[in-house]
Amino acid sequence: MADAVIRGAQDSAIEGVDVVVCDALTTSSNQLLDADGVILGTPENFGYMSGAMKVFFETVYYDCLERTQGLPYGIFIHAGNDGSGALSSMTRIITGLRWRQVIPPVILVGDIHPPGLDACQELGMSLAAGLESGIF
């Protein structure tokens, strides 16, 4: 899923958008402060976001709280259940950060098939194109 999102964000038709891929466990608040937009991806674990995603939020939250308001974002989730628990837990934190959702989340349940990967690619492409055009 992440590879498809990255592929979409790096589409050759989109110019002037640098795509930086970061791992949830090693991303610093400085990297996030430098971003014009963000796409967050997680598996659903026990009906919740992954532990790594929780660590990410714990690491960046207070440094970014007042400095990233309005940051355009998108989410993708690979769910074992229905993804609602992972989405809800992430959205609760993102609401506190006051980021701006600019594209609906992509939630794939169970096995990943080409239509789901297409939706992930569209997610990456849409956010990058929105940044390129200045809509976001």
Side-chain angles (χ1 to χ4, degrees):
M1 291 176 69
D3 289 340
V5 170
I6 295 164
R7 201 169 36 254
Q10 294 176 331
D11 188 276
S12 61
I14 300 168
E15 298 178 0
V17 175
D18 294 324
V19 177
V20 177
V21 180
C22 301
D23 179 87
L25 292 175
T26 59
T27 300
S28 71
S29 51
N30 286 334
Q31 289 170 301
L32 192 57
L33 291 168
D34 287 340
D36 294 321
V38 64
I39 299 175
L40 305 167
T42 186
E44 177 188 58
N45 292 337
F46 307 110
Y48 194 72
M49 71 179 118
S50 70
M53 184 59 65
K54 186 173 182 298
V55 168
F56 163 77
F57 282 124
E58 290 172 348
T59 301
V60 304
Y61 190 87
Y62 290 105
D63 287 342
C64 295
L65 181 60
E66 298 299 326
R67 298 162 56 192
T68 59
Q69 294 176 24
L71 184 71
Y73 79 92
I75 292 176
F76 65 97
I77 298 169
H78 184 211
N81 295 318
D82 64 1
S84 63
L87 180 61
S88 173
S89 61
M90 292 174 72
T91 302
R92 191 173 316 116
I93 295 167
I94 292 167
T95 298
L97 288 164
R98 295 181 293 261
W99 292 354
R100 183 170 45 106
Q101 181 179 346
V102 294
I103 187 163
V106 173
I107 300 174
L108 302 184
V109 179
D111 294 334
I112 299 170
H113 299 289
L117 293 176
D118 291 345
C120 289
Q121 188 167 340
E122 181 66 27
L123 172 73
M125 189 182 307
S126 295
L127 194 123
L131 292 173
E132 174 196 36
S133 67
I135 316 178
F136 305 145

